[in-house]
Amino acid sequence: MNTVTVNASRRYDIRIGSGLLSTLGESVKALGKVQKVCIVSESNVFPHFGPAAQASLQEAGLETSVFIFPAGEASKTGTTFLELLNALAQAKLGRQDMLVALGGGVVGDLAGFAAACYLRGIRFVQVPTTLLAAVDSSVGGKTAIDLPAGKNLAGAFCQPSLVLCDTDTLNTLPEDIFRDGCAEVIKYAVLYDPQLFHQLESAGLDFDRESVITRCVELKRDVVMEDEFDTGARMKLNLGHTFGHGIEARSQFALSHGKSVAIGLAVIARFCAAAGVCSRGDCQRIVALLEAFGLPVTTRYPTEEILQYALSDKKRSGSTVNLILPRAIGDCVIAPTPVAQLKSILQAGL
Ligand code: GLY
């Protein structure tokens, strides 16, 4: 097992390793003062891991309740959020009590936002069961729900009290969902770590789960500790996301986040190579690695349509967008870019 400690507005450990789900109860109890725990999960995940999570909590002497919602981004709404708050009130959770978010990014975002709001804030533990949640959404305290106007438009920064990443849970992931998480892993390598990039090139999809997740989490930990509230360095985590979000939204979310980010990464790498920002060789390696992981690297959606959705993203500030540009593998910069230039950038990258 590896442990990574985050020292942000709340200090907490991220534990990564095999068999950790069975330690959930003792781990939660060790956080202190808790009596009741509500497990928040979704319909696909709970049957796999819910009973073991609940048993572990109960064996530790904790009183448990369960809130399960239908799997999928379509559930990350105000309606589900209010249902969850009402369930917490009905279960009479108090200020010292906790939520356990058992699942992928949708569960973590929704449960985290409920924890941030219920009784003006209670503690929560993230138990990510997808690769994407393990390396990204469970770490760093971004919580949110979607509004009809767009994804993640209502939320809060609220750090968890613990992240327990049991790598065994990834064994039951459908390969397609595992690949989605790989897009974020490749993103970290392009952003910060040429050695990790090389490791992924050599190992392919068989990379060592525990060490690679730990490395990604360490990288994210460093960013979150430098810029918890996303006003500077944390923006770099949006590498591939500006056009990726546009493509994901244009597909009406039929194309997953990971695959959309993969296309966004390839687009920005190709643009950077064409503009002389990075070498053609680095661009080819990025695109080849995405392809080796079975991820898409282009789309047929018209540029105008992608742009329309990309520009409704909340990260736009006035007439510029902060694009993240690779100068080399492991070296990226934040480039405030006039909106008027995005069309030619996208055309150069597709
Ligand atoms: N997922 C990007 C961030 O946590 O900032």
Side-chain angles (χ1 to χ4, degrees):
M1 180 192 74
N2 294 325
T3 302
V4 178
T5 301
V6 182
N7 203 352
S9 54
R10 177 178 271 147
R11 186 183 158 95
Y12 58 98
D13 283 346
I14 301 161
R15 293 187 203 135
I16 303 130
S18 168
L20 287 177
L21 192 58
S22 63
T23 69
L24 177 65
E26 287 307 325
S27 304
V28 167
K29 211 170 164 196
L31 295 170
K33 292 185 180 163
V34 55
Q35 285 182 344
K36 295 181 184 173
V37 177
C38 178
I39 301 173
V40 182
S41 193
E42 45 94 315
S43 52
N44 287 340
V45 168
F46 191 82
H48 284 289
F49 309 118
Q54 197 164 14
S56 175
L57 291 162
Q58 288 171 349
E59 278 160 23
L62 296 161
E63 196 180 311
T64 60
S65 57
V66 175
F67 180 85
I68 303 169
F69 60 84
E73 185 77 26
S75 286
K76 214 174 92 176
T77 59
T79 306
T80 318
F81 174 69
L82 284 179
E83 284 169 6
L84 173 53
L85 293 182
N86 282 317
L88 300 178
Q90 268 175 7
K92 297 191 172 19
L93 266 76
R95 272 259 166 85
Q96 310 289 355
D97 294 329
M98 277 190 223
L99 303 192
V100 166
L102 176 69
V106 172
V107 170
D109 282 7
L110 185 78
F113 190 37
C117 295
Y118 180 69
L119 302 182
R120 299 195 180 92
I122 64 170
R123 294 171 294 171
F124 73 112
V125 171
Q126 291 271 20
V127 184
T129 61
T130 65
L131 180 62
L132 196 145
V135 298
D136 185 25
S137 57
S138 70
V139 178
K142 278 190 181 175
T143 73
I145 56 172
D146 302 335
L147 298 181
K151 213 176 146 169
N152 293 334
L153 288 187
F157 286 96
C158 180
Q159 301 293 338
S161 294
L162 174 71
V163 182
L164 215 55
C165 173
D166 184 339
T167 48
D168 296 343
T169 63
L170 305 181
N171 296 337
T172 53
L173 267 188
E175 191 171 298
D176 200 44
I177 296 182
F178 185 76
R179 285 178 207 273
D180 285 340
C182 292
E184 295 285 351
V185 172
I186 293 169
K187 179 194 82 175
Y188 283 108
V190 175
L191 275 172
Y192 305 113
D193 194 338
Q195 210 178 323
L196 174 61
F197 194 94
H198 182 66
Q199 187 182 346
L200 296 171
E201 284 179 321
S202 304
L205 278 166
D206 286 334
F207 64 80
D208 180 78
R209 310 288 190 247
E210 189 171 315
S211 72
V212 167
I213 292 171
T214 301
R215 184 66 191 130
C216 293
V217 164
E218 284 171 348
L219 291 165
K220 183 151 187 187
R221 181 264 323 265
D222 293 347
V223 176
V224 168
M225 283 174 54
E226 185 182 344
D227 177 27
E228 180 175 355
F229 298 106
D230 204 11
T231 57
R234 189 166 180 169
M235 284 185 222
K236 282 195 184 174
L237 297 179
N238 286 324
L239 173 64
H241 281 57
T242 301
F243 296 125
H245 275 155
I247 292 162
E248 186 183 5
R250 168 60 188 84
S251 78
Q252 311 288 347
F253 299 94
L255 196 64
S256 67
H257 180 72
K259 292 184 186 62
S260 304
V261 166
I263 299 170
L265 249 169
V267 165
I268 210 71
R270 285 193 211 99
F271 161 72
C272 284
V277 176
C278 77
S279 69
R280 293 206 175 268
D282 278 348
C283 169
Q284 276 162 9
R285 281 179 74 196
I286 293 168
V287 174
L289 187 59
L290 293 165
E291 286 179 318
F293 276 74
L295 290 160
V297 293
T298 194
T299 175
R300 291 188 175 184
Y301 292 131
T303 48
E304 288 293 354
E305 292 180 16
I306 297 170
L307 274 182
Q308 184 190 329
Y309 285 96
L311 290 173
S312 64
D313 192 274
K314 64 184 178 307
K315 292 182 183 79
R316 176 180 172 185
S317 87
S319 59
T320 62
V321 170
N322 287 314
L323 284 186
I324 314 305
L325 305 182
R327 291 194 294 206
I329 290 165
D331 174 20
C332 294
V333 287
I334 302 171
T337 306
V339 166
Q341 287 180 15
L342 290 183
K343 187 172 177 188
S344 59
I345 292 173
L346 183 53
Q347 281 167 340
L350 272 174

